[in-house]
Amino acid sequence: MLNPAADTHLEKGIVTQLRAYLAQIELPDDGRLPPERELSTALGVSRTELRKALDVLEAEGQLWRHVGKGTFMGSRPLDTFADIAALARRSNPAEVMRARIVMEPEICRAAAFTATPEDIAEMRMCLTRSRQAETWRQYEAWDTRLHRTIAEASQNTLLLGLFDTLNAVRRAVTWGRLRTEPVKPLPNHHSFAEHEAIVDAIEQRDIAAAAACMRAHLQTVERKLLDRQ
Amino acid sequence: MLNPAADTHLEKGIVTQLRAYLAQIELPDDGRLPPERELSTALGVSRTELRKALDVLEAEGQLWRHVGKGTFMGSRPLDTFADIAALARRSNPAEVMRARIVMEPEICRAAAFTATPEDIAEMRMCLTRSRQAETWRQYEAWDTRLHRTIAEASQNTLLLGLFDTLNAVRRAVTWGRLRTEPVKPLPNHHSFAEHEAIVDAIEQRDIAAAAACMRAHLQTVERKLLDRQ
DNA sequence: ATATAAACCAAAATGAAATTGGTATCCGAC
DNA sequence: GTCGGATACCAATTTCATTTTGGTTTATAT
C-alpha cells in the first residue's frame, strides 16, 4: 500500500463488487439481504471492508440497516412514531398533560357541534357512574370513558384515532408517585363539577364553553399533579 | 341443598364475598387481579363457583377477561387502532382537514412559546425554498417540512408524534382528483403570505396570532379543496 | 498506518415453556 | 337425575432464555 490512490481504488472496487452481487442476488420479499458476517465471507472480503462498502450504499440511500433486524434494500420505511411504546419511552407525564391540554379542548369543541343525544346520554352515564365509584380505579375507568365518549362524539375517525394514541401513551408512561393513593374519591372531588360543566356545555351546544371547560378541567388536573408533594 | 332459594342465596353470597375481596385487595396498576386458580383457593370456593361470580361481575361491566391475559377490573380497553393504514382506510380527506384544523393551530400556539431561534431560522428557510420551488412536488416537500418544523418547535415529543401520525395518514388517504395538477405554484399562491404570517407571529411570540394564522391558513386550504370542481 | 480478526454490546427476533381464561368430562352427593 | 366439584385439556398470551444482527472497541500483524 505505497500509494493512497491505489488504496482508494481498491475500496471502490469492493463497492462495485458489492453492487454487482446485489444486482444478481435473489432477494426475499422484504428486501432483506444476508447478514454481514455471511456476506463478507461470500464476497471474500473482511467484515470491516464490507461495512465500509455498505456505508457508501447506505449514504446513497440504496439500502438501510437496523441493529437486530438486518440490512434491507430500498428506503427505510417511515419511522412515524405511531409506536406507542417508543413514544412512551421518550415522553413523560409533563408532555402528556401538555398534549392533552392542546388536543382535548379542541376535540371537545368539535364534539359540542356534532355530538348526538345518544353520545350525550352516554356522557351522563359516565358522570353518574364516576360519582358512584367505590375505588380510584373504578373512577379512573369512568373518567377515561367519559373523555373517550367526547372524542367519539367528534364524529371524526382520525381525531378519535389520535386521541386513542394519546391515551395509550398516557397509560404507558411511567407516573411513579404521581399515581393516586388507594382511597375512594371524595364527593367534592374537583373533577365532578368540571366534568358536568363540560357535558352541560356540549348539551347546550355552547361550543366555546365546551372547549373552555375542558381546558380548565385539564389545567386543574395538571396543577393538582404538581401540588402533590 | 334441599331448598333452591338457599342455593341461590349461596351463589349470591359468593358474589358479595368476591365484591368485598376485590374492594379490599391491592391491585397492580393495570388492574389485573390474581388468576382464577389462585383466587378460588384464596376465597375457599371452587373454580366453577368463582367463575360464575366472575360472570356476574363481567356482565355488570365491573371487569373484563381475556384468555392468556387474565382478569382485569374496569372496562375493556377499546382496541385502539393506532395503525396508520387502518386509520387511512377508515378516514377521508374531509376528516384529515378537520383534524389538521383541530390540532395544528394549537400545536402552533405552543410552538410560539417554545420555538428556538434555530427553529425559526429553519422555518424561514422553508419559506424561501417553497417560494423557489419549480414543481408542486418540491413545493409540497417544503410546505410539509415547514409544518413539521413548527411541530418540532413545540418541544413536545408526544405532540410531534401525534403530528407525524396525522401526517402519515394524510399521505396515505386517497385524495384522487383533489390532488394538485402538475403546474408550478404561482407566486401569488395564497399559502406564501399565510405561511409568512404564521412564522412572523411565532417569531414575535404572538401566541394568539400564531394559532389564529395557522387556523386561517388551514381553513383556506380546506376551502380551496372544496372550490376545485 | 492500515487492515484484519476477534471480542463485546445492545437491539431485535426466535422459540420453548409456563400461564391463563374457557371448556369438556367424569365422579360423587343429595 | 341434577348439581357442584375436581381434573384434564385447549388455545391464546405472556415470559424468559437464547440466538441473531448491526455497531463498536481492542489487539495484533504486516
Side-chain angles (χ1 to χ4, degrees):
Chain A
M1 245 41 95
L2 301 174
N3 184 347
D7 183 11
T8 306
H9 178 269
L10 183 55
E11 282 181 8
K12 285 194 177 168
I14 295 180
V15 172
T16 54
Q17 184 186 354
L18 178 57
R19 278 209 171 86
Y21 179 82
L22 294 180
Q24 65 140 44
I25 197 179
E26 183 92 11
L27 283 178
D29 287 352
D30 55 358
R32 177 178 184 174
L33 46 93
E36 294 179 351
R37 290 160 176 86
E38 280 183 33
L39 210 49
S40 61
T41 62
L43 294 179
V45 298
S46 77
R47 200 180 150 212
T48 315
E49 288 300 300
L50 171 68
R51 281 183 55 75
K52 284 187 195 167
L54 286 175
D55 286 343
V56 175
L57 293 194
E58 186 180 25
E60 288 176 3
Q62 306 245 356
L63 52 83
W64 61 278
R65 306 184 268 184
H66 195 306
V67 223
K69 281 188 171 136
T71 307
F72 301 81
M73 297 299 294
S75 58
R76 166 183 269 103
L78 253 35
D79 57 331
T80 158
F81 298 85
D83 183 6
I84 307 293
L87 260 178
R89 229 174 303 122
R90 299 173 188 241
S91 197
N92 55 59
E95 281 197 359
V96 170
M97 283 311 305
R98 293 297 310 147
R100 290 189 70 186
I101 291 174
V102 161
M103 288 202 59
E104 295 201 41
E106 295 305 306
I107 292 179
C108 190
R109 181 195 305 276
F113 199 43
T114 54
T116 66
E118 209 169 304
D119 291 328
I120 295 170
E122 188 169 346
M123 295 177 202
R124 292 253 173 249
M125 188 196 63
C126 293
L127 291 182
T128 56
R129 293 300 189 94
S130 72
R131 270 196 191 279
Q132 295 164 353
E134 289 297 320
T135 65
W136 275 107
R137 181 168 314 288
Q138 286 179 22
Y139 165 77
E140 276 177 17
W142 289 112
D143 172 83
T144 300
R145 180 158 169 187
L146 169 63
H147 283 264
R148 190 179 195 273
T149 304
I150 293 173
E152 281 179 36
S154 75
Q155 310 272 29
N156 186 315
T157 319
L158 181 47
L159 274 182
L160 180 59
L162 292 172
F163 173 85
D164 280 342
T165 307
L166 171 54
N167 235 341
V169 174
R170 179 164 72 87
R171 278 194 299 270
V173 153
T174 55
W175 291 84
R177 296 192 55 182
L178 294 177
R179 296 292 307 175
T180 54
E181 58 277 28
V183 189
K184 173 178 174 176
L186 297 177
N188 63 348
H189 185 50
H190 67 91
S191 284
F192 291 140
E194 291 167 11
H195 281 162
E196 265 156 30
I198 294 169
V199 178
D200 285 347
I202 293 175
E203 190 165 34
Q204 290 163 27
R205 309 295 184 186
D206 189 341
I207 298 178
C213 289
M214 178 63 88
R215 172 169 286 110
H217 168 52
L218 291 174
Q219 281 169 341
T220 307
V221 172
E222 185 181 39
R223 184 154 35 77
K224 292 281 178 188
L225 282 180
L226 293 176
D227 281 353
R228 200 172 311 163
Q229 47 78 25
Chain B
M1 255 27 108
L2 300 175
N3 183 348
D7 184 10
T8 306
H9 177 270
L10 184 56
E11 280 181 8
K12 284 193 176 168
I14 296 180
V15 172
T16 53
Q17 183 184 355
L18 179 56
R19 279 209 171 87
Y21 179 82
L22 294 181
Q24 64 138 47
I25 197 179
E26 181 93 10
L27 284 176
D29 285 354
D30 55 357
R32 177 179 186 172
L33 47 93
E36 294 179 352
R37 291 162 175 85
E38 279 183 34
L39 211 48
S40 61
T41 61
L43 294 180
V45 298
S46 77
R47 199 179 153 212
T48 316
E49 288 299 301
L50 171 67
R51 281 183 56 75
K52 283 186 193 166
L54 286 174
D55 286 343
V56 175
L57 294 194
E58 185 180 26
E60 287 177 4
Q62 306 247 356
L63 52 84
W64 62 277
R65 306 185 269 186
H66 195 305
V67 217
K69 282 188 171 135
T71 307
F72 300 81
M73 296 300 295
S75 57
R76 180 187 309 277
L78 305 122
D79 37 323
T80 159
F81 38 144
D83 182 7
I84 306 290
L87 261 178
R89 228 176 302 120
R90 298 174 186 238
S91 196
N92 55 59
E95 282 197 357
V96 170
M97 282 311 304
R98 293 296 309 146
R100 290 189 70 186
I101 291 174
V102 161
M103 289 201 57
E104 295 200 41
E106 295 305 306
I107 292 179
C108 191
R109 181 195 306 275
F113 199 43
T114 53
T116 67
E118 209 168 304
D119 290 329
I120 296 171
E122 187 169 347
M123 295 177 202
R124 292 255 174 247
M125 188 195 63
C126 292
L127 290 182
T128 55
R129 294 300 189 91
S130 72
R131 272 194 189 279
Q132 295 163 353
E134 288 299 321
T135 65
W136 275 107
R137 184 177 185 75
Q138 287 179 23
Y139 165 77
E140 277 177 16
W142 289 111
D143 172 83
T144 300
R145 179 156 170 189
L146 170 63
H147 283 264
R148 191 177 195 275
T149 303
I150 293 173
E152 282 179 34
S154 76
Q155 311 271 30
N156 187 315
T157 319
L158 181 47
L159 275 182
L160 180 59
L162 292 172
F163 174 85
D164 279 342
T165 306
L166 171 55
N167 234 341
V169 173
R170 180 164 71 90
R171 278 194 297 271
V173 152
T174 54
W175 291 84
R177 296 192 54 181
L178 293 177
R179 296 294 306 175
T180 53
E181 59 278 26
V183 189
K184 174 178 172 175
L186 297 177
N188 63 348
H189 185 49
H190 67 91
S191 285
F192 293 139
E194 292 167 11
H195 280 163
E196 267 157 27
I198 294 169
V199 178
D200 285 347
I202 293 176
E203 190 165 33
Q204 291 161 28
R205 309 294 184 186
D206 190 341
I207 298 179
C213 289
M214 178 62 89
R215 172 169 284 112
H217 168 52
L218 291 173
Q219 281 169 342
T220 307
V221 172
E222 184 181 40
R223 186 153 34 78
K224 292 282 180 187
L225 282 179
L226 293 174
D227 281 352
R228 201 173 309 161
Q229 48 74 30

